[in-house]
Amino acid sequence: MSSSTLPLSTAAVLSGSAGFAAELAPVLNPARTSEVVGWYAQASVEVVDDVVRAAAAAAPLWDALGALERGRLMAAAATALEHGIDERAELLTREQGKVLWESRLDVGGAPRLLDYYAGLAATLDTEEVVHDERGTTVIRRVPIGPTVVIVPWNYPVYLCMMVLAPALAAGNPVIVKPSELAPLALTETLAILARHLPPGVVNVVPGTGPAAGAALVGHPLVRKVLFTGGTQTGRSVLRGAAENITSVSLELGGNDPAVILESAVVDDQLIREIRRSVYTCTGQVCFNIKRLYVHRSRYDEFVEQFKSAVDEIVVGDGLHPESTIGPLNNRRQWESVTALIAETERQGGTVDVLGRAHPEARWNDGHFMLPSVITGVGHEASVVGCEQFGPTVPILPFDDEDEAVRMANDTEFGLAASVWSSDIDHALALGRRIEAGSVFVNSHRVGSSDMTMPFGGMKRSGLGRNHGMWAIDECSELQALSHRLDTASFPGPPTH
Ligand code: TXE
């Protein structure tokens, strides 16, 4: 199957329907926009209805298999997904733009996450049974029902699997709506997964957000929506789910602060770690560092070392092994970061444009942007207050830690944050004062959070928590099944 026909045919196959006619839209390579990498079908409301009904029909069987058997099937799919990672990673780089090692991390997350939740599934069949003098109560975890997964374009495979694998383990059929900006590698991944599970358990609905996405969210048979994307879209999803009282979990944007304390050792390791956290995926990760607060006593040395490390960055096609970062994913993102940088300059900030272009990068045919470092701005600057989602970062000095905590918390977001110091106890104590779902000490990268830690946002960064049993809870219902011999302890109306 060629990637150019995959989204259409996969949607038809996975939904169990005979196929459907739909308009095709191209997926363009962000490093050379004249190249069409593949096509995705724009599913209509009728197709959405067809697929949701197929998922709802599969729900009782998937539940009845039991968690142990579900885990066994998921583990087999994980083994199959170990093959072909390099090919799917290359496809992901061509549609998403990021460098190959990041695409491998993204695509390689699928088998790892499926395997992890397959293992966790083995523990899910047990029920809590309470016998006491009043009778018996069984507390059961039951699947919530057909679950829609709406996926963004930055880490499409990993972010989809992070919520899809626990939804499957908990006994729910899933319907995935990939991002129209990077649907291909994810759809290939889901096609392999679907082949290992009963028909109708894993479904794909390609299409745009306002059409296919909104129709899925508002469908009356959908019981859960797991959404990852922008805060504004998250609001639409909540509104769309309200009509049917559909449960929603949201992983939204972040404006993650990193606070570098006076006690931090500003060495090569710290500088490289922070550089990685800012510029990974060309700055387009929800929990990348988005603002840096550095104690005034360390400010000059930090800025100097950081700028010289950023100057080593090579921007090019993600397929070129020498590229450190790729282009931005899409034109709208490029325009929004470009406008933000221009506004920063108008507001009096200094923007140092660093790094260099890869000699083979087709600069005018891609969404390329050199990395930059911003100094000379106050806390009120636009670039400090928003999620820039691009290869630039403001660095601000602070004089005392209360001021740093106040600035770190002065945001509508609350996804992640980090504190950097050689005094770990002190950094941990300061971390307690930061309003974020995850606070890391001396690290802040993809991998700083793992399955043993809840992951999710406070404030407008999201609703609900991911990872481990927290993720299973997000897509399960609890039922109390009770037979009590004596309910008289709860007084009723007086009888005469
Ligand atoms: O995401 P959208 P966009 C942030 C980042 C970025 C901004 C916008 O700041 O600049 O969001 O990015 C689907 N009903 N993040 O516009 O629109 C859409 O098709 C249902 C943070 O690309 O939120 C896609 O599948 N679904 C983030 C998904 O929502 C709808 C990752 C995300 O798209 C819909 C990406 C609707 N009405 C961007 N409209 C993170 N948390 O990692 C769109 N969609």
Side-chain angles (χ1 to χ4, degrees), residues 150-154 159 177-181 207-210 213-214 217 227-230 233 236-237 251-253 286 332-333 387 389:
I150 298 184
V151 185
W153 43 262
N154 54 350
L159 290 176
K177 211 298 281 166
S179 167
E180 49 276 54
L181 294 163
T208 64
V217 170
F227 172 81
T228 308
T233 317
S236 308
V237 167
E251 288 285 351
L252 306 176
C286 51
R332 206 181 63 180
Q333 199 59 39
E387 180 182 44
F389 233 53

Side-chain angles (χ1 to χ4, degrees), residues 148-155 159 177-181 207-218 225 227-238 240 250-254 283-287 290 329-330 332-333 336-337 386-390 413 415 455 461:
V148 164
V149 180
I150 298 184
V151 185
W153 43 262
N154 54 350
Y155 263 77
L159 290 176
K177 211 298 281 166
S179 167
E180 49 276 54
L181 294 163
T208 64
L216 282 167
V217 170
V225 177
F227 172 81
T228 308
T231 298
Q232 197 51 36
T233 317
R235 282 193 185 95
S236 308
V237 167
L238 273 181
L250 302 172
E251 288 285 351
L252 306 176
Q284 304 164 115
V285 178
C286 51
F287 69 109
K290 309 275 170 43
N329 170 260
N330 59 79
R332 206 181 63 180
Q333 199 59 39
S336 119
V337 184
C386 73
E387 180 182 44
Q388 63 269 44
F389 233 53
F413 295 106
L415 190 58
F455 178 72
S461 283

Side-chain angles (χ1 to χ4, degrees), residues 53-117:
R53 285 179 193 285
L61 169 72
W62 186 235
D63 179 22
L65 278 183
L68 199 62
E69 179 61 7
R70 289 196 295 271
R72 201 187 60 74
L73 296 176
M74 288 167 65
T79 304
L81 282 163
E82 292 288 357
H83 302 284
I85 288 179
D86 285 348
E87 289 77 9
R88 292 194 297 283
E90 190 179 319
L91 177 62
L92 181 57
T93 288
R94 287 172 57 223
E95 63 175 332
Q96 203 286 335
K98 62 189 170 194
V99 289
L100 261 181
W101 71 262
E102 280 200 57
S103 291
R104 281 197 201 98
L105 197 72
D106 192 339
V107 168
R112 277 198 295 119
L113 287 159
L114 279 168
D115 214 39
Y116 173 82
Y117 284 101

Side-chain angles (χ1 to χ4, degrees), residues 131-170:
H131 298 290
D132 61 17
E133 65 286 355
R134 294 200 292 155
T136 301
T137 301
V138 181
I139 299 166
R140 305 176 61 218
R141 183 190 302 278
V142 292
I144 193 165
T147 296
V148 164
V149 180
I150 298 184
V151 185
W153 43 262
N154 54 350
Y155 263 77
V157 180
Y158 192 94
L159 290 176
C160 175
M161 287 297 162
M162 185 169 94
V163 296
L164 178 145
L168 286 179

Side-chain angles (χ1 to χ4, degrees), residues 476-488:
S476 304
E477 296 276 23
L478 285 179
Q479 182 185 55
L481 185 65
S482 147
H483 174 228
R484 290 199 167 168
L485 307 171
D486 168 20
T487 51

